[in-house]
Amino acid sequence: LIIYYLISKFTKESNVWFHKLKNNYQEIQATYEQLMAAEEELRAQYDELNEKQAIIEESEERYKLALDGSNDAMWEIDLITNDFFSSDKFNDITGYDIKAMTNLKSIISLITDDDRKIALNDFSDHINGKTLYYRSSIRIKFNGGGEKWVLIRGKCLRNKKGVATKISGSVTDISGQKDSEEKINKLQYYDILTDTPNRRLFINTLKSEIIKAKDTKIKHAVLCIDLDNFKEINDTLGHDYGDELLKHVAILFKNSIREGDLVSRVGGDEFFILMRNIEDCSEITRLCERLLNLLNCEISIDDKYVYASASIGISVFPEDGHQTSILLQNVDTAMYNAKYNGKSKYCFFNKHMSEVVVRRVEIEKGLRHALANNELEVYYQPQIDIINNKIKGFEALLRWNSPELGRISPAEFIPVAEQSGLIISIGAWIIKTVCLQNNLWKSKGYLYDTIGINLSAIQLQNDKFEETLKNIINETKIDPKFVELEITESIFMKNFDNNIKLLTEIRALGINIALDDFGTGYSSLSYLKQLPINTLKMDKSFIDNIVIDEREKSIVDGIIQLAQMIGLDVIAEGAETKEQIKLLQKMGCNQIQGYYFSKPLPAGEIEEKFLKTNRIQPYN
C-alpha cells in the first residue's frame, strides 16, 4: 500500500509537473515563433533600408555627376548667418578655392568695382521682394588674372512672415557669350578695315550729342573728309594698297583729333569726324589744316609712295542744322563745294552756297544707285548715208530717269560721273549693253555697219580699260567690227602718246575708232595723220551756220575734202534742216547724224521706225 501510495503520489505529481513542463514548452515555442517573426520583419526592414540607401547613394552620385558635368556652379547663402556654400564648379569658374569662400562678404569681394553696385542693387531688390528672381550679369576678378563675365541667378526661401532666410541659385560663366556679343557689336558698329566707328555708330553718337546739347550753348562740328584721288590709287596700285592707305589715313586722323572727338569711316574713301564742344571755329580750321598737311605729302606703303590729298566739308551744330540728317546733308554739300573748287581744300557750309553744288551732290548720290536700280537706259541716234539712202550706223547715247530727280540731261550728269569716278562702272555697262543690243539686231538680219559708243578721258586713263573691253568682247561674243568707240580731240591730247598706243591696240582688236567733235579742239593737221581712227565727226557748231555763213561753209568743205583724202569717213553731226542736208551732200559728205532724220530713241523705237521698215525719211 505504501508503495502504491508512493507510486500514485509520484504519478500524480509527475502529471502536474509534466503539464507545467508542457505549458512552459508551449510558451517557449510561442516566444520563439514571435522572435522568428520579428527577425523576419527586421530582415525585411533591413533589406528595405539597404535598398533605399542604394537609391539615395545612386541619386546623390547622379546629382554630383550632374553638378560636375554642368557649366553652372550651385550656391546657397544663409541670410541669417551669412554662411556661403557652393559646388566644386565654383572653383573652376572663379579660380578660387571654395573652402576660402565662407561668407557673403568674401563673395562680394570677387566682383569688380565697376559692377559691384549693380550686383548689390539686384540682390537687394530680390531680397526685398521687388523682383521675383535674382539675376545679374557682372564681371568678377578671376584668380588666374583678368576678369570674367558671369551670370548669377537665384531665388529666396522665405519664412511665414515673408522674410528671406535663404537664397540659392547658380553661377554661369558667360565670357564666351560676351565675346560673341562684342564681336557682333564690332561688326555692327565698327569698320573692320580701319577699326573705327562706322556710319551707324557715328550717326547714333551725333544724335545723342545733339539731344544732350538741346537748350544749351554747346556747339559741335561735323567734318566730312573725302580722299581726292583714292580711285586712281586703287586702279594703279591695286585694292591691297588702297586698303593699306585707308588704314594709314585712319591712324593719322585718330592721332590728330582732340581727346573726346570721334573719327569714323563711313564708306569707301570717306571719313567723318565729330568735334565735340567747340568753343571757337579756329579749332576747326586748325584741325583741317593739320589734316590737309598730313595728306599733302608722300605716304609710304610697302616700299611704294602715294600722294593722297583730301577735300573737307564742315557743318556746325546748331547754326547749320538742329537735326542729324540736315547736318550730314549740309556737310556733304560743303565737301563737294571744296572738291569742285580745286580739291585739297576745306569749306564751311553756308546757306548761300551755290545751288549748282547742291544739285551735283544730289546727282552723285543718285548716280551711285542708278545702275543697281536699272535707272539708266541707252538711246540710239541713226547715222544716215544720204548718198545710198540707207542706215550707216548708230550712236549710243546714255539717258537717266531718276525716280527722285526726274530726267536729267547727260550734259549735267556725265561730268559728275567723271568727277566721282562712277563713269568707270557706268561706261563698262554701256559698252556691254550696246554689244548685246548689237548682237540682237544682227541676229535679226538688220543691215548697218557700227554702233558708236562715247568714251570718257577717265575710262582711257584707267589701266584696266583694255582688259575690261576684251572681257566684254569675249563675254558677249560680239564681232568687234560692229563696234565703234568715239573719242574727242581734247581726250586724245591729254596724254597723246599713251592714248595713241592704247587706241592702236584697240584697233588691232578689230574695233573702229571715231574722232568726235572734230574742229572744237586742237584740229592740228600734224597730229591728225597719226591718229588710229576710221571716222571723223564734225561738230554741230560747224554745221549750224553753213547755209548762211560762207566762211563756215568753206571750213566744213575743207574738212570733208581733207578727211576723204586721208581715207576717213566723215559724219556731220547736228544736221537739222533740208538745206543743210542738200549742201552737205553737194560737198560730198555722205553721212548725216541729226534731228533732221531722228532724235535719239530707245532701242525698241529705233527697231520699229528704222530697222524693220528699212525706210529713211525726215523726222519732221
Side-chain angles (χ1 to χ4, degrees), residues 189-191 195-199 201-202 262-266:
Y189 292 106
Y190 280 81
D191 174 57
D195 195 30
T196 59
N198 60 15
R199 177 182 286 272
L201 181 53
F202 184 89
L262 179 69
V263 173
S264 169
R265 181 184 174 222
V266 295

Side-chain angles (χ1 to χ4, degrees), residues 250-266:
I251 292 171
L252 289 179
F253 289 173
K254 285 190 283 188
N255 291 339
S256 300
I257 61 175
R258 306 169 309 166
E259 185 176 352
D261 290 347
L262 179 69
V263 173
S264 169
R265 181 184 174 222
V266 295

Side-chain angles (χ1 to χ4, degrees), residues 129-143:
K130 293 180 180 180
T131 58
L132 189 60
Y133 298 97
Y134 167 54
R135 181 186 176 94
S136 277
S137 294
I138 56 172
R139 288 164 294 178
I140 62 170
K141 304 166 190 174
F142 185 62
N143 194 31

Side-chain angles (χ1 to χ4, degrees), residues 75 111 115-126 131 133-140 148-155 167 170-174 177-178:
W75 58 270
I111 304 171
D115 291 353
R116 191 170 296 153
K117 186 176 180 181
I118 297 171
L120 290 175
N121 286 340
D122 291 340
F123 190 81
S124 176
D125 285 347
H126 180 57
T131 58
Y133 298 97
Y134 167 54
R135 181 186 176 94
S136 277
S137 294
I138 56 172
R139 288 164 294 178
I140 62 170
K148 264 192 176 184
W149 277 98
V150 296
L151 172 61
I152 305 177
R153 289 170 289 193
K155 185 171 175 58
I167 181 172
S170 64
V171 180
T172 307
D173 183 349
I174 59 170
Q177 177 185 328
K178 284 292 182 179

Side-chain angles (χ1 to χ4, degrees), residues 221-239:
V222 179
L223 278 61
C224 176
I225 308 164
D226 187 85
L227 302 184
D228 292 327
N229 58 340
F230 179 72
K231 184 159 186 61
E232 285 78 2
I233 293 169
N234 254 353
D235 291 341
T236 54
L237 298 179
H239 288 278

Side-chain angles (χ1 to χ4, degrees), residues 23-177:
N23 289 336
N24 286 339
Y25 175 78
Q26 287 176 342
E27 288 178 7
I28 291 172
Q29 183 70 27
T31 302
Y32 175 76
E33 288 176 355
Q34 289 175 355
L35 286 175
M36 290 297 293
E39 182 183 4
E40 284 293 326
E41 185 177 353
L42 286 173
R43 188 179 300 278
Q45 290 177 354
Y46 177 77
D47 290 341
E48 184 179 355
L49 285 174
N50 278 339
E51 185 178 343
K52 288 182 178 179
Q53 178 67 25
I55 292 172
I56 291 172
E57 288 177 355
E58 184 180 353
S59 177
E60 287 180 347
E61 185 177 355
R62 190 182 301 117
Y63 177 70
K64 188 174 184 305
L65 285 172
L67 284 179
D68 292 342
S70 169
N71 287 326
D72 296 352
M74 301 295 116
W75 58 270
E76 183 179 273
I77 297 173
D78 188 320
L79 298 174
I80 308 301
T81 64
N82 278 336
D83 290 339
F84 174 79
F85 161 80
S86 70
S87 63
D88 293 343
K89 193 69 179 180
F90 188 85
N91 180 54
D92 298 334
I93 293 175
T94 66
Y96 293 91
D97 187 348
I98 57 174
K99 294 178 182 177
M101 302 289 107
T102 58
N103 54 50
L104 183 58
K105 185 177 180 181
S106 60
I107 300 304
I108 293 173
S109 67
L110 301 185
I111 304 171
T112 61
D113 296 340
D114 292 339
D115 291 353
R116 191 170 296 153
K117 186 176 180 181
I118 297 171
L120 290 175
N121 286 340
D122 291 340
F123 190 81
S124 176
D125 285 347
H126 180 57
I127 296 298
N128 294 324
K130 293 180 180 180
T131 58
L132 189 60
Y133 298 97
Y134 167 54
R135 181 186 176 94
S136 277
S137 294
I138 56 172
R139 288 164 294 178
I140 62 170
K141 304 166 190 174
F142 185 62
N143 194 31
E147 297 176 352
K148 264 192 176 184
W149 277 98
V150 296
L151 172 61
I152 305 177
R153 289 170 289 193
K155 185 171 175 58
C156 280
L157 178 66
R158 302 178 185 276
N159 61 20
K160 294 180 180 179
K161 295 181 179 180
V163 177
T165 57
K166 284 185 180 182
I167 181 172
S168 59
S170 64
V171 180
T172 307
D173 183 349
I174 59 170
S175 299
Q177 177 185 328

